[in-house]
Amino acid sequence: MSEILYVGIPEGSRILVTSDIHGYPELLKTLLNKAEYRPNEDFLFILGDTLEKGPDNLGAMEYVYALAKNDRVYVTVGNVDRWLWKLFEGDLQKALDYTDFRPDNTLTQAAKRLGFDKIDDTIRRLFLDKYKEEISFYKNLPCCIETEKYMLSHSGLPENGTLEGVDSDFISNYNFYLS
């Protein structure tokens, strides 16, 4: 994951910024519709936390991934996005513990979509294989986007107002999710 991505935005371009989709792709679609989003003209910034807490985490993941194929759409990683991939690729017991904490999570939704009722290592591997492109995309998101006028991130900047000397763990500030 790169720390900061610089994006040049032509003067007069319209910029749309949102975050915290949290498994509600239909709400994002409604927002973009209300904003009269123009994919070939506007710049869209989605500032992290695409997944979890919602009824359609996989749909949100797929929709944001599809949007990001446009060279005017930029996504930053959020704390949920970052720890989720670490969790699902790491210790199976941690993934199961998380399922106890949040039963309707991305992995359980994927298991249901794949036709299974419970999570085990086989299901997790199927999930990681089926969504390898999306997972790679999320694992390589920048934590911050800088333009000539703006600095955009999911969780803000440290007190000194810069990312100098700060690594990507800055954005993963919830102890439950740290490994």
Side-chain angles (χ1 to χ4, degrees):
M1 167 178 25
S2 65
E3 298 298 325
I4 301 173
L5 175 66
Y6 180 80
V7 176
I9 299 176
E11 190 67 35
S13 295
R14 193 167 82 135
I15 299 170
L16 304 174
V17 180
T18 191
S19 70
D20 296 277
I21 308 310
H22 283 297
Y24 287 91
E26 293 307 316
L27 293 179
L28 176 58
K29 291 173 186 177
T30 299
L31 176 70
L32 295 177
N33 187 44
K34 282 188 174 236
E36 297 179 6
Y37 170 57
R38 301 165 302 191
N40 297 321
E41 299 175 37
D42 298 332
F43 282 82
L44 174 61
F45 295 92
I46 301 172
L47 304 181
D49 284 4
T50 302
L51 305 174
E52 295 304 283
K53 303 179 184 177
D56 191 7
N57 297 316
L58 296 172
M61 176 181 71
E62 292 162 341
Y63 184 58
V64 169
Y65 178 66
L67 284 171
K69 291 183 180 189
N70 179 325
D71 63 0
R72 290 176 169 256
V73 176
Y74 296 89
V75 182
T76 66
V77 68
N79 56 295
V80 172
D81 305 319
R82 185 162 188 269
W83 60 252
L84 192 63
W85 305 124
K86 289 174 80 172
L87 180 70
F88 290 163
E89 290 181 323
D91 181 357
L92 177 61
Q93 188 56 53
K94 284 187 178 183
L96 295 173
D97 291 346
Y98 177 70
T99 296
D100 290 339
F101 171 73
R102 188 174 302 287
D104 191 29
N105 66 59
T106 303
L107 192 53
T108 58
Q109 289 178 15
K112 287 176 188 170
R113 189 183 278 188
L114 295 168
F116 298 94
D117 292 329
K118 70 177 217 166
I119 298 170
D120 62 21
D121 204 43
T122 301
I123 303 306
R124 185 173 62 168
R125 282 194 300 259
L126 285 170
F127 168 73
L128 294 173
D129 187 55
K130 179 172 177 58
Y131 295 102
K132 63 184 164 212
E133 288 182 30
E134 292 88 343
I135 292 169
S136 177
F137 166 75
Y138 277 93
K139 286 172 60 177
N140 290 292
L141 291 174
C143 70
C144 190
I145 295 172
E146 183 177 7
T147 72
E148 287 185 20
K149 295 182 180 180
Y150 305 106
M151 184 74 87
L152 306 166
S153 74
H154 175 71
S155 61
L157 295 172
E159 289 179 17
N160 67 6
T162 73
L163 288 174
E164 185 175 318
V166 174
D167 65 22
S168 58
D169 285 333
F170 170 72
I171 59 166
S172 297
N173 54 9
Y174 295 101
N175 289 332
F176 177 85
Y177 307 115
L178 296 176
S179 40

